[in-house]
Amino acid sequence: MLYSYIGETANEVWEKAVLDLKKSTKNVNSRAGKTVENLHSIFQIANPVQRWVTKRWEPISLSFALAEIIWILSGSNDAKLLNIWNPALPKYAGYGDTYHGAYGYRIRKNYGFDQLERAYNALSQNCQSRQVVISIWDARIDMPNEKGEPADSDIPCNICSFLKVRQGKLDWTQMMRSNDVHRGFPYNVVQYTILQEILAGWLGIDVGAYTHYSDSLHYYVTDNFEINGKNNICSYNTDSLRTTKEQFDEIVRKMYQIMQIMAFNDVSERELASLMSESLGNEAYDNIMAMITLYIAHKKRYYNLEQKLLHSCTNKIYCDMWNAWINRKNMNKGI
């Protein structure tokens, strides 16, 4: 059976899929516990810029989602850096110095060339091409062994991306072998719709539809999650990440450098404020950098700087999502 979810935003399609899964009785055991699963689910988001799932009862970690994006765009596989923004990540992806399945490394470095840059060059010269496929799965190192044992703790769930330019817009199709609707899907949609928007900017064209295929859409029965029916979070993203490729390369280089300084140095409140004092020259990326830094300020209890960073962000959805995450965190602590 094929399950199909079509909507204008990520929120819409996610909610439809959750309601279907909640009715499912298809239990499947996995190495991480029992799941409820629907095979062969396809999503289509008409406006991929509206990528944030804000109806999840347990709010997603905005700072981690944005930090992971810069990590991916930089082509990094440095586990220690990303773990700063998500200390629980090693429990799922392993305790090594690098992550085996790091999407950015797979896309930009794994095969000896930058697939994102090659896609840009190919589509610039031949916008009708049907051959632009970004490969993430690497059978040499990802296939289970003859006993069916995983090759690593961090095997990519994303397999590949199909890119097409049609009617002056960039359509993006993402293929997933496995997709947790609660823990994974909200982050995966953010990752690949941002790549779609960035590449469309390089090409100087509009963003088309985003299609997302999950061969195994599931949730773990131990995850007690619901749809937030009383959601007061602004769900409209007002930022545009479109730049030229040259501008993008310089912006992301600076952002990743700042993340490394924050992650691996015991920065004071003054030093952290100084790092954020120089604009990247693009409001949307300044907002991302503010939200990434916000987590560090909160973690270090630099509460005055935390408030300044929050007020500096001009994208209301980011501010609302941060506040929702903090409020939920405080509730879990009983504060």
Side-chain angles (χ1 to χ4, degrees):
M1 180 175 178
L2 179 68
Y3 297 86
S4 179
Y5 310 106
I6 299 173
E8 185 73 12
T9 69
N11 252 340
E12 290 179 48
V13 297
W14 179 83
E15 183 173 10
K16 291 174 183 178
V18 168
L19 291 173
D20 258 4
L21 271 172
K22 288 287 188 180
K23 293 183 290 187
S24 178
T25 58
K26 301 167 186 173
N27 291 329
V28 177
N29 289 323
S30 77
R31 64 189 177 91
K34 185 179 288 186
T35 69
V36 175
E37 177 189 67
N38 281 340
L39 290 178
H40 318 314
S41 296
I42 190 165
F43 302 79
Q44 189 166 83
I45 301 171
N47 187 3
V49 173
Q50 304 311 325
R51 60 181 59 95
W52 296 99
V53 174
T54 60
K55 286 193 173 184
R56 202 177 81 160
W57 176 250
E58 182 181 6
I60 74 170
S61 171
L62 174 71
S63 294
F64 166 64
L66 293 174
E68 186 177 28
I69 280 297
I70 303 306
W71 185 74
I72 288 171
L73 292 170
S74 300
S76 178
N77 62 0
D78 185 343
K80 290 182 178 179
L81 177 74
L82 191 59
N83 293 346
I84 296 295
W85 281 269
N86 188 350
L89 195 57
K91 182 169 65 173
Y92 304 101
Y95 292 88
D97 291 337
T98 61
Y99 281 133
H100 172 88
Y103 296 142
Y105 185 86
R106 293 292 181 100
I107 292 169
R108 309 207 75 173
K109 296 178 181 177
N110 185 59
Y111 295 100
F113 70 100
D114 185 344
Q115 295 186 80
L116 198 61
E117 184 170 2
R118 177 74 65 86
Y120 162 61
N121 290 330
L123 291 171
S124 294
Q125 298 301 314
N126 180 9
C127 65
Q128 299 301 316
S129 177
R130 297 189 295 268
Q131 298 177 4
V132 178
V133 179
I134 292 177
S135 296
I136 299 169
W137 178 269
D138 186 341
R140 300 170 303 171
I141 56 176
D142 292 334
M143 283 282 282
N145 65 19
E146 290 80 358
K147 296 180 181 179
E149 299 165 333
D152 193 89
S153 301
D154 181 36
I155 299 299
C157 293
N158 285 277
I159 302 303
C160 67
S161 312
F162 301 145
L163 284 61
K164 303 281 193 303
V165 176
R166 296 293 184 269
Q167 287 82 50
K169 297 181 179 181
L170 177 64
D171 280 11
W172 190 291
T173 299
Q174 193 63 30
M175 306 297 291
M176 310 252 335
R177 63 170 182 84
S178 177
N179 210 188
D180 184 329
V181 76
H182 174 58
R183 300 180 191 174
F185 179 87
Y187 293 95
N188 297 140
V189 168
V190 168
Q191 292 158 2
Y192 290 96
T193 61
I194 284 182
L195 283 175
Q196 178 185 13
E197 184 181 359
I198 286 168
L199 189 56
W202 294 0
L203 292 167
I205 61 177
D206 291 332
V207 174
Y210 174 80
T211 304
H212 184 105
Y213 175 78
S214 301
D215 202 49
S216 166
L217 188 70
H218 56 267
Y219 69 88
Y220 290 90
V221 296
T222 52
D223 283 343
N224 183 22
F225 75 99
E226 300 291 342
I227 295 168
N228 188 349
K230 299 179 180 179
N231 190 347
N232 296 319
I233 301 175
C234 165
S235 60
Y236 191 76
N237 175 35
T238 56
D239 277 345
S240 170
L241 300 174
R242 296 166 60 89
T243 68
T244 65
K245 186 177 184 303
E246 292 72 24
Q247 290 169 332
F248 167 86
D249 288 341
E250 180 60 17
I251 287 170
V252 170
R253 184 192 65 78
K254 287 181 179 178
M255 294 176 80
Y256 190 70
Q257 185 179 58
I258 293 170
M259 284 175 60
Q260 288 176 308
I261 293 170
M262 290 191 293
F264 301 132
N265 296 275
D266 186 18
V267 290
S268 67
E269 185 167 5
R270 178 178 292 182
E271 289 168 332
L272 198 57
S274 178
L275 283 171
M276 291 304 298
S277 63
E278 186 176 343
S279 171
L280 295 164
N282 182 294
E283 186 175 306
Y285 289 94
D286 282 335
N287 285 337
I288 289 176
M289 199 69 248
M291 304 313 291
I292 290 173
T293 308
L294 196 55
Y295 178 87
I296 302 297
H298 180 78
K299 186 177 180 180
K300 289 180 171 291
R301 301 184 180 182
Y302 299 158
Y303 297 132
N304 287 334
L305 179 58
E306 181 181 344
Q307 289 305 307
K308 287 179 181 177
L309 289 167
L310 193 59
H311 290 311
S312 75
C313 179
T314 60
N315 193 354
K316 189 174 186 298
I317 192 172
Y318 288 175
C319 301
D320 285 356
M321 289 178 70
W322 170 265
N323 286 328
W325 182 76
I326 286 292
N327 290 338
R328 185 67 176 175
K329 185 166 171 274
N330 291 340
M331 282 174 59
N332 290 341
K333 287 182 178 179
I335 295 176

